[in-house]
Amino acid sequence: MSVLPAEGVSFAAEAPVVIIGAGAAGLTAALAARAGGLDALVIERDPEPRGSTALSAGLIPAAGTRWQRAAGVEDSAPAFAADIMAKAQGASDAALVETVSRAAGPALEWLADSYGLPIGLVDDFRYPGHSVLRMHGLPSRSGAELMDRLREAAVCAGAELVCDANATALFVHRDGNVAGLVVRRPDGSEEHLACRSLVLACGGYGGDTMLVSRHVPEMAGALYFGHAGNQGDALRWGEALGAATRHLAGYQGHGSVAHPHGILITWATITEGGVQVNAEGRRFSDETRGYSEQATVVLAQPGGIAWTVFDDRIAGIARQFEDFRQAEAAGAVLSAQNSSELARQAGLPAEALAATLDAVDRMKRSGLTDSFGRCFAGVPELQAPLHAVRVTGALFHTQGGLVVDRSARVLRRDGRPLPNLFAAGGAACGVSGATAAGYLSGNGLLTAITLGRLSGAAAARLAASRAHGSA
């Protein structure tokens, strides 16, 4: 990924707003640009838009929505912001946290009302770190469905989507104004495309092993469960242009990816009363701290493996997620009438597993807190049939990135904005701080949708003003 001088370059075509990356952030940016009356061209390297969103459950946290009100949930943007800051232990940028927490609810209602996305509230369990029910998603609870809906909406809205097109370089004037880009096709042919505004929505750097080793060394060599296209393009371009970066060590991990199947197992298996044990049949942590920080904890166990153990009641909740249904169909979910049979199937020490589960049930009955700090008060005991899934820890996506303002414009190291460059989703620094422990459930899609909408709208305004010679 290179930055080339724009002086003397001729362009084959021009688009007012160009968006690199057709994930959730890029497609939302395209919708916002079209809503602002500007043509938007989305460049996507893959044959079809998928991104890391398609690998997720597609859940987006938002406060004060009509779906919450219908469910009797009292919530507000300040309460949401407080939860984000608490999870990140105050390390997140307060202005960005305020911006996205206020923008999330209106963005979801906009997607539902203007583009027909059938959004609803997840109302049968609460994710760790959220003080109220706040996660919203589509009926299948599938990120693949969210991507399909956003793609359909963008195309119907008139956005131009060009797939199998890889942006390999930016043409930039001496003042930092991006004049255009190089787009390369699979056959090796290249085209020079001019733009008035450019939105970087091409993800983070989780797919680049060198960048992961440099910035997130504890996850070097771990299973990468994100999109392979997250190669750090936005980070490299931004740094070459003098952009500020922040929290490059931040990331979202997950401590419950079925192994070797490679299927995400919803954390509802834990929050609803399940536990994790290692190859010795023993628990090793407070699993409820969060699924992101649990990734390294699981990887520290023998063989980097754990077993998530839960019961049929919890499985019933988990089946609302397409991923869990796929895991059952693939045979990743073991089932047994008692702990001895479950241990036999999983290859775990039967006595140790039985002792672990008995101890958990006693703490649940007495409402105790264990030595790891997990409180079991009010948590139902596990009842037969029992289930277990062999899991490992994984890196999902990075949370550090380019520093942006409230309009998602990329800022230089001295705080001044670059003339016409915006960033959204994984390309921008998120709101999780510099560690995996700062990741609050849904933070990734939160900034994808909110910064996507803000960047698309601001890029359209800027492009329109430039067309009239006022910028």
Side-chain angles (χ1 to χ4, degrees):
M1 298 299 110
S2 58
V3 172
L4 305 173
E7 286 70 25
V9 176
S10 60
F11 295 95
E14 181 187 71
V17 177
V18 172
I19 301 159
I20 302 178
L27 293 174
T28 304
L31 289 172
R34 290 297 299 140
L38 268 287
D39 290 338
L41 174 62
V42 187
I43 303 296
E44 170 56 45
R45 73 171 70 199
D46 289 347
E48 62 175 335
R50 304 311 285 164
S52 293
T53 299
L55 301 171
S56 74
L59 298 182
I60 306 156
T65 69
R66 64 169 180 256
W67 301 284
Q68 286 179 309
R69 291 192 293 273
V73 177
E74 295 185 8
D75 197 11
S76 67
F80 185 13
D83 285 349
I84 294 172
M85 293 297 285
K87 191 68 167 67
Q89 296 185 332
S92 301
D93 178 71
L96 184 61
V97 170
E98 180 187 13
T99 296
V100 300
S101 60
R102 290 189 181 280
L108 292 191
E109 295 190 1
W110 168 67
L111 289 173
D113 295 340
S114 299
Y115 306 104
L117 270 68
I119 293 168
L121 180 70
V122 178
D123 60 5
D124 53 358
F125 69 93
R126 179 164 55 87
Y127 274 85
H130 288 282
S131 55
V132 298
L133 296 170
R134 191 178 282 141
M135 301 298 276
H136 298 72
L138 301 184
S140 70
R141 305 293 190 249
S142 162
E145 182 187 9
L146 177 60
M147 284 300 303
D148 289 342
R149 296 277 190 171
L150 288 173
R151 182 188 68 244
E152 292 168 5
V155 171
C156 290
E160 185 177 357
L161 176 59
V162 180
C163 294
D164 278 325
N166 189 19
T168 60
L170 304 183
F171 292 110
V172 183
H173 290 292
R174 292 185 181 91
D175 63 357
N177 186 79
V178 179
L181 59 156
V182 178
V183 178
R184 180 177 296 164
R185 294 295 200 157
D187 63 4
S189 62
E190 293 184 344
E191 179 181 7
H192 293 179
L193 175 66
C195 63
R196 290 182 231 148
S197 297
L198 179 66
V199 178
L200 299 178
C202 42
Y205 39 95
D208 186 292
T209 55
M210 182 185 71
L211 289 176
V212 170
S213 296
R214 180 188 306 167
H215 298 301
V216 196
E218 68 267 30
M219 295 304 286
L223 171 68
Y224 175 54
F225 202 73
H227 187 258
N230 292 335
Q231 292 293 318
D233 299 352
L235 178 63
R236 290 188 173 93
W237 279 322
E239 289 182 328
L241 291 172
T245 61
R246 183 184 292 141
H247 294 157
L248 296 184
Y251 67 96
Q252 184 217 332
H254 207 294
S256 192
V257 175
H259 185 75
H261 306 80
I263 302 174
L264 174 65
I265 302 299
T266 172
W267 207 239
T269 52
I270 295 297
T271 60
E272 289 301 302
V275 296
Q276 286 191 325
V277 300
N278 58 21
E280 299 171 349
R282 305 182 189 281
R283 290 180 58 237
F284 49 88
S285 67
D286 172 8
E287 305 94 332
T288 61
R289 291 184 308 155
Y291 56 71
S292 182
E293 54 265 56
Q294 191 71 1
T296 55
V297 179
V298 168
L299 289 170
Q301 301 310 303
I305 292 297
W307 289 86
T308 299
V309 181
F310 49 99
D311 64 9
D312 215 41
R313 175 188 64 83
I314 297 172
I317 295 171
R319 287 188 187 105
Q320 69 183 284
F321 295 96
E322 175 65 24
D323 287 333
F324 188 82
R325 298 194 295 271
Q326 291 178 1
E328 287 191 311
V333 183
L334 306 182
S335 301
Q337 288 300 317
N338 53 60
S339 65
S340 297
E341 174 60 19
L342 193 67
R344 185 192 66 78
Q345 292 186 42
L348 296 172
E351 290 186 7
L353 180 62
T356 295
L357 297 183
D358 286 346
V360 168
D361 282 343
R362 286 196 301 272
M363 287 186 286
K364 289 178 177 180
R365 286 193 297 270
S366 302
L368 300 178
T369 298
D370 67 16
S371 59
F372 302 112
R374 179 173 178 178
C375 178
F376 285 100
V379 182
E381 297 177 46
L382 298 181
Q383 304 289 337
L386 300 174
H387 303 284
V389 183
R390 188 173 189 256
V391 299
T392 190
L395 169 64
F396 271 47
H397 54 78
T398 52
Q399 280 282 290
L402 305 179
V403 177
V404 298
D405 64 13
R406 290 177 182 266
S407 296
R409 183 176 283 195
V410 177
L411 300 179
R412 305 176 197 257
R413 296 185 187 102
D414 63 5
R416 293 179 299 127
L418 285 158
N420 65 337
L421 187 64
F422 301 81
C429 180
V431 292
S432 302
T435 70
Y439 186 86
L440 182 67
S441 299
N443 271 1
L445 273 172
L446 169 66
T447 54
I449 297 299
T450 56
L451 295 182
R453 187 185 186 193
L454 291 169
S455 65
R461 289 193 299 270
L462 178 61
S465 69
R466 288 185 165 200
H468 294 91
S470 59

Coordinates of all heavy atoms in Angstrom, one line a residue, residues 149-206:
R149 N -28.3 -7.7 3.9 CA -29.3 -6.6 4.0 C -28.6 -5.3 3.7 O -29.2 -4.5 2.9 CB -29.9 -6.6 5.4 CG -30.7 -7.8 5.8 CD -32.1 -7.7 5.2 NE -32.9 -8.8 5.8 CZ -34.2 -8.9 5.6 NH1 -34.9 -8.0 4.9 NH2 -34.9 -9.9 6.1
L150 N -27.4 -5.0 4.2 CA -26.8 -3.7 3.9 C -26.4 -3.6 2.4 O -26.5 -2.6 1.8 CB -25.5 -3.6 4.8 CG -25.8 -3.3 6.3 CD1 -24.5 -3.3 7.1 CD2 -26.5 -2.0 6.5
R151 N -25.9 -4.7 1.9 CA -25.5 -4.7 0.4 C -26.8 -4.4 -0.4 O -26.7 -3.6 -1.3 CB -24.9 -6.1 0.0 CG -24.5 -6.1 -1.4 CD -24.1 -7.5 -1.9 NE -25.2 -8.4 -1.9 CZ -25.3 -9.5 -1.2 NH1 -24.4 -9.8 -0.3 NH2 -26.3 -10.2 -1.2
E152 N -27.9 -5.1 -0.1 CA -29.1 -4.9 -0.9 C -29.6 -3.5 -0.8 O -30.0 -2.9 -1.8 CB -30.2 -5.9 -0.4 CG -29.9 -7.4 -0.7 CD -30.9 -8.3 0.0 OE1 -31.8 -7.8 0.7 OE2 -30.7 -9.5 -0.1
A153 N -29.5 -3.0 0.4 CA -29.9 -1.6 0.7 C -29.1 -0.6 -0.1 O -29.6 0.4 -0.7 CB -29.9 -1.3 2.2
A154 N -27.8 -0.8 -0.1 CA -26.9 0.1 -0.8 C -27.1 0.1 -2.3 O -27.1 1.2 -2.9 CB -25.4 -0.2 -0.4
V155 N -27.2 -1.1 -2.8 CA -27.5 -1.2 -4.3 C -28.8 -0.5 -4.7 O -28.9 0.2 -5.6 CB -27.4 -2.6 -4.7 CG1 -27.8 -2.8 -6.2 CG2 -26.0 -3.2 -4.6
C156 N -29.8 -0.8 -3.9 CA -31.2 -0.2 -4.1 C -31.2 1.3 -4.0 O -31.9 2.0 -4.7 CB -32.2 -0.9 -3.2 SG -32.6 -2.6 -3.6
A157 N -30.3 1.8 -3.1 CA -30.2 3.2 -2.9 C -29.4 3.9 -4.0 O -29.3 5.2 -4.0 CB -29.6 3.5 -1.6
G158 N -28.8 3.1 -4.9 CA -28.1 3.7 -6.0 C -26.6 3.8 -5.8 O -25.9 4.4 -6.7
A159 N -26.0 3.2 -4.8 CA -24.6 3.2 -4.6 C -24.0 2.3 -5.6 O -24.6 1.2 -5.9 CB -24.2 2.8 -3.2
E160 N -22.8 2.6 -6.2 CA -22.1 1.7 -7.1 C -21.2 0.8 -6.3 O -20.3 1.4 -5.7 CB -21.4 2.5 -8.2 CG -20.8 1.6 -9.3 CD -20.2 2.4 -10.4 OE1 -20.3 3.7 -10.4 OE2 -19.6 1.8 -11.3
L161 N -21.3 -0.4 -6.5 CA -20.4 -1.4 -5.8 C -19.6 -2.1 -6.8 O -20.1 -2.8 -7.7 CB -21.3 -2.4 -5.0 CG -20.6 -3.5 -4.2 CD1 -19.6 -3.0 -3.2 CD2 -21.6 -4.4 -3.5
V162 N -18.3 -2.0 -6.7 CA -17.3 -2.6 -7.6 C -16.5 -3.6 -6.8 O -15.7 -3.3 -6.0 CB -16.4 -1.6 -8.3 CG1 -15.5 -2.3 -9.2 CG2 -17.2 -0.6 -9.0
C163 N -16.7 -4.9 -7.1 CA -16.0 -6.0 -6.4 C -14.9 -6.5 -7.2 O -14.7 -6.1 -8.4 CB -17.0 -7.1 -6.1 SG -18.3 -6.7 -4.9
D164 N -14.0 -7.4 -6.6 CA -12.8 -7.8 -7.3 C -12.0 -6.6 -7.7 O -11.4 -6.6 -8.8 CB -13.1 -8.7 -8.5 CG -13.4 -10.1 -8.1 OD1 -12.8 -10.6 -7.1 OD2 -14.3 -10.8 -8.8
A165 N -11.9 -5.6 -6.9 CA -11.2 -4.4 -7.2 C -10.4 -4.0 -5.9 O -11.0 -3.7 -4.9 CB -12.1 -3.3 -7.6
N166 N -9.1 -4.0 -6.1 CA -8.2 -3.8 -4.9 C -7.5 -2.4 -5.0 O -6.8 -2.1 -6.0 CB -7.1 -4.9 -4.9 CG -6.3 -4.8 -3.6 OD1 -6.7 -4.3 -2.6 ND2 -5.1 -5.5 -3.6
A167 N -7.8 -1.6 -4.0 CA -7.2 -0.3 -4.0 C -5.7 -0.5 -3.5 O -5.5 -0.9 -2.4 CB -7.9 0.7 -3.1
T168 N -4.8 -0.1 -4.3 CA -3.4 -0.4 -4.0 C -2.5 0.8 -3.7 O -1.5 0.7 -3.1 CB -2.7 -1.2 -5.2 OG1 -2.7 -0.4 -6.3 CG2 -3.4 -2.5 -5.4
A169 N -3.0 2.0 -4.1 CA -2.2 3.2 -3.8 C -3.1 4.4 -3.8 O -4.2 4.4 -4.4 CB -1.1 3.4 -4.8
L170 N -2.7 5.5 -3.1 CA -3.4 6.7 -3.1 C -2.6 7.8 -3.7 O -1.3 7.8 -3.5 CB -3.7 7.2 -1.6 CG -4.5 6.2 -0.7 CD1 -4.8 6.9 0.6 CD2 -5.8 5.8 -1.4
F171 N -3.2 8.7 -4.5 CA -2.5 9.8 -5.1 C -2.9 11.0 -4.2 O -4.0 11.3 -4.0 CB -3.0 10.1 -6.5 CG -2.6 9.0 -7.5 CD1 -3.5 8.2 -8.1 CD2 -1.2 8.9 -7.9 CE1 -3.1 7.2 -9.0 CE2 -0.8 7.9 -8.8 CZ -1.8 7.1 -9.3
V172 N -1.8 11.7 -3.7 CA -2.0 12.7 -2.7 C -1.2 14.0 -3.0 O -0.1 13.9 -3.4 CB -1.6 12.2 -1.3 CG1 -1.9 13.3 -0.2 CG2 -2.3 10.9 -0.9
H173 N -1.9 15.1 -2.9 CA -1.2 16.4 -3.1 C -0.3 16.7 -1.9 O -0.5 16.1 -0.9 CB -2.2 17.5 -3.4 CG -2.9 17.4 -4.7 ND1 -2.3 17.6 -5.9 CD2 -4.2 17.1 -5.0 CE1 -3.2 17.4 -6.9 NE2 -4.4 17.1 -6.4
R174 N 0.5 17.7 -2.1 CA 1.5 18.1 -1.1 C 0.8 18.5 0.2 O 1.3 18.4 1.3 CB 2.4 19.2 -1.5 CG 3.4 18.7 -2.7 CD 4.3 19.8 -3.0 NE 5.2 19.4 -4.1 CZ 5.0 19.6 -5.4 NH1 3.9 20.2 -5.7 NH2 5.9 19.2 -6.3
D175 N -0.5 19.1 0.1 CA -1.2 19.5 1.3 C -1.9 18.4 2.0 O -2.7 18.7 3.0 CB -2.1 20.7 0.9 CG -3.2 20.2 -0.1 OD1 -3.2 19.0 -0.5 OD2 -4.1 21.0 -0.4
G176 N -1.8 17.2 1.5 CA -2.5 16.1 2.1 C -3.8 15.7 1.5 O -4.5 14.8 2.0
N177 N -4.2 16.5 0.5 CA -5.5 16.2 -0.1 C -5.4 15.0 -1.0 O -4.5 14.9 -1.9 CB -5.9 17.4 -1.0 CG -7.3 17.3 -1.6 OD1 -8.3 17.5 -0.9 ND2 -7.4 16.9 -2.8
V178 N -6.3 14.0 -0.8 CA -6.3 12.8 -1.6 C -7.0 13.1 -2.9 O -8.2 13.4 -3.0 CB -7.0 11.6 -0.9 CG1 -7.0 10.4 -1.8 CG2 -6.3 11.3 0.4
A179 N -6.2 13.0 -4.0 CA -6.8 13.2 -5.4 C -7.5 12.0 -6.0 O -8.4 12.2 -6.8 CB -5.7 13.8 -6.3
G180 N -7.0 10.9 -5.6 CA -7.6 9.6 -6.2 C -6.8 8.4 -5.8 O -6.0 8.5 -4.8
L181 N -7.0 7.3 -6.5 CA -6.4 6.1 -6.1 C -6.2 5.2 -7.3 O -6.8 5.4 -8.3 CB -7.3 5.3 -5.0 CG -8.8 5.0 -5.5 CD1 -9.3 3.8 -4.6 CD2 -9.7 6.2 -5.3
V182 N -5.4 4.2 -7.0 CA -5.1 3.1 -8.0 C -6.0 1.9 -7.7 O -5.9 1.4 -6.5 CB -3.6 2.7 -8.1 CG1 -3.4 1.6 -9.1 CG2 -2.7 3.9 -8.4
V183 N -6.7 1.4 -8.7 CA -7.6 0.3 -8.5 C -7.1 -0.8 -9.4 O -7.0 -0.7 -10.6 CB -9.1 0.6 -8.8 CG1 -9.9 -0.7 -8.6 CG2 -9.6 1.7 -7.9
R184 N -6.7 -2.0 -8.8 CA -6.2 -3.1 -9.5 C -7.2 -4.2 -9.6 O -7.8 -4.6 -8.6 CB -4.9 -3.6 -8.9 CG -4.2 -4.8 -9.6 CD -2.9 -5.2 -9.0 NE -2.0 -4.1 -9.1 CZ -0.8 -4.0 -8.4 NH1 -0.6 -4.9 -7.4 NH2 0.0 -3.0 -8.5
R185 N -7.3 -4.8 -10.8 CA -8.2 -5.9 -11.0 C -7.5 -7.2 -11.0 O -6.2 -7.3 -11.0 CB -8.9 -5.8 -12.4 CG -9.8 -4.6 -12.5 CD -11.0 -4.7 -11.6 NE -12.1 -3.9 -12.0 CZ -13.4 -4.1 -11.7 NH1 -13.7 -5.2 -11.0 NH2 -14.3 -3.3 -12.1
P186 N -8.2 -8.4 -10.8 CA -7.5 -9.7 -10.7 C -6.6 -10.0 -11.9 O -5.6 -10.7 -11.8 CB -8.7 -10.7 -10.6 CG -9.8 -9.9 -10.0 CD -9.6 -8.5 -10.6
D187 N -6.9 -9.5 -13.1 CA -6.1 -9.7 -14.3 C -4.8 -8.9 -14.4 O -4.1 -8.9 -15.3 CB -6.9 -9.6 -15.6 CG -7.4 -8.1 -15.8 OD1 -7.1 -7.3 -15.0 OD2 -8.2 -7.9 -16.8
G188 N -4.6 -8.0 -13.3 CA -3.5 -7.2 -13.3 C -3.7 -5.8 -13.9 O -2.8 -4.9 -13.7
S189 N -4.8 -5.5 -14.5 CA -5.0 -4.2 -15.1 C -5.3 -3.2 -14.0 O -5.8 -3.6 -12.9 CB -6.2 -4.3 -16.0 OG -7.4 -4.6 -15.3
E190 N -4.9 -2.0 -14.2 CA -5.1 -0.9 -13.2 C -5.8 0.3 -13.8 O -5.8 0.6 -15.0 CB -3.7 -0.4 -12.7 CG -3.0 -1.5 -11.9 CD -1.7 -1.0 -11.3 OE1 -1.2 0.1 -11.7 OE2 -1.2 -1.6 -10.4
E191 N -6.5 1.0 -12.9 CA -7.2 2.2 -13.3 C -7.0 3.3 -12.3 O -6.9 3.0 -11.1 CB -8.7 1.9 -13.4 CG -9.6 3.1 -13.8 CD -11.1 2.8 -13.8 OE1 -11.4 1.6 -13.4 OE2 -11.9 3.6 -14.2
H192 N -6.8 4.5 -12.8 CA -6.7 5.7 -11.9 C -8.0 6.3 -11.7 O -8.6 6.8 -12.7 CB -5.7 6.7 -12.4 CG -4.3 6.1 -12.5 ND1 -3.2 6.9 -13.0 CD2 -3.7 5.0 -12.1 CE1 -2.1 6.2 -12.9 NE2 -2.4 5.0 -12.3
L193 N -8.5 6.4 -10.5 CA -9.8 6.9 -10.2 C -9.7 8.1 -9.3 O -9.1 8.1 -8.2 CB -10.7 5.8 -9.5 CG -12.1 6.2 -9.0 CD1 -13.0 6.5 -10.2 CD2 -12.7 5.1 -8.2
A194 N -10.3 9.2 -9.7 CA -10.3 10.5 -8.9 C -11.5 10.5 -7.9 O -12.5 9.9 -8.2 CB -10.4 11.7 -9.8
C195 N -11.3 11.2 -6.8 CA -12.4 11.4 -5.9 C -12.3 12.8 -5.3 O -11.2 13.4 -5.2 CB -12.3 10.3 -4.8 SG -10.8 10.4 -3.8
R196 N -13.4 13.2 -4.7 CA -13.4 14.5 -3.9 C -13.3 14.2 -2.4 O -12.7 15.0 -1.7 CB -14.7 15.3 -4.2 CG -14.7 15.9 -5.6 CD -16.0 16.7 -5.8 NE -16.7 16.3 -7.0 CZ -18.0 16.3 -7.2 NH1 -18.8 16.7 -6.2 NH2 -18.6 15.9 -8.3
S197 N -13.9 13.1 -2.0 CA -13.7 12.6 -0.6 C -13.4 11.2 -0.6 O -13.9 10.4 -1.5 CB -15.0 12.9 0.2 OG -15.4 14.3 0.2
L198 N -12.6 10.7 0.3 CA -12.3 9.3 0.4 C -12.6 8.8 1.8 O -12.2 9.4 2.8 CB -10.8 9.1 0.1 CG -10.3 7.6 0.2 CD1 -11.0 6.8 -0.9 CD2 -8.8 7.6 0.0
V199 N -13.3 7.7 1.9 CA -13.6 7.0 3.2 C -12.8 5.7 3.3 O -13.0 4.8 2.4 CB -15.1 6.8 3.4 CG1 -15.3 6.0 4.7 CG2 -15.9 8.0 3.3
L200 N -12.0 5.6 4.3 CA -11.3 4.3 4.5 C -12.2 3.4 5.4 O -12.4 3.7 6.6 CB -9.9 4.6 5.1 CG -8.9 5.4 4.3 CD1 -7.6 5.6 5.1 CD2 -8.6 4.7 3.0
A201 N -12.7 2.4 4.8 CA -13.5 1.4 5.6 C -13.0 0.0 5.3 O -13.8 -0.9 5.2 CB -15.0 1.6 5.2
C202 N -11.7 -0.1 5.2 CA -11.1 -1.4 4.8 C -10.5 -2.2 5.9 O -9.7 -3.0 5.8 CB -9.9 -1.1 3.7 SG -8.9 0.3 4.1
G203 N -11.0 -1.9 7.1 CA -10.8 -2.8 8.3 C -9.5 -2.4 9.0 O -8.8 -1.5 8.7
G204 N -9.1 -3.3 9.9 CA -8.0 -3.1 10.8 C -6.8 -3.9 10.2 O -6.6 -4.0 9.0
Y205 N -6.0 -4.5 11.1 CA -4.7 -5.1 10.7 C -4.6 -6.5 11.3 O -3.5 -7.1 11.4 CB -3.5 -4.2 11.1 CG -3.7 -3.6 12.5 CD1 -3.2 -4.1 13.6 CD2 -4.4 -2.4 12.6 CE1 -3.3 -3.5 14.9 CE2 -4.5 -1.8 13.8 CZ -4.0 -2.3 14.9 OH -4.2 -1.7 16.2
G206 N -5.7 -7.1 11.7 CA -5.6 -8.4 12.3 C -5.2 -9.5 11.4 O -4.7 -10.6 11.8

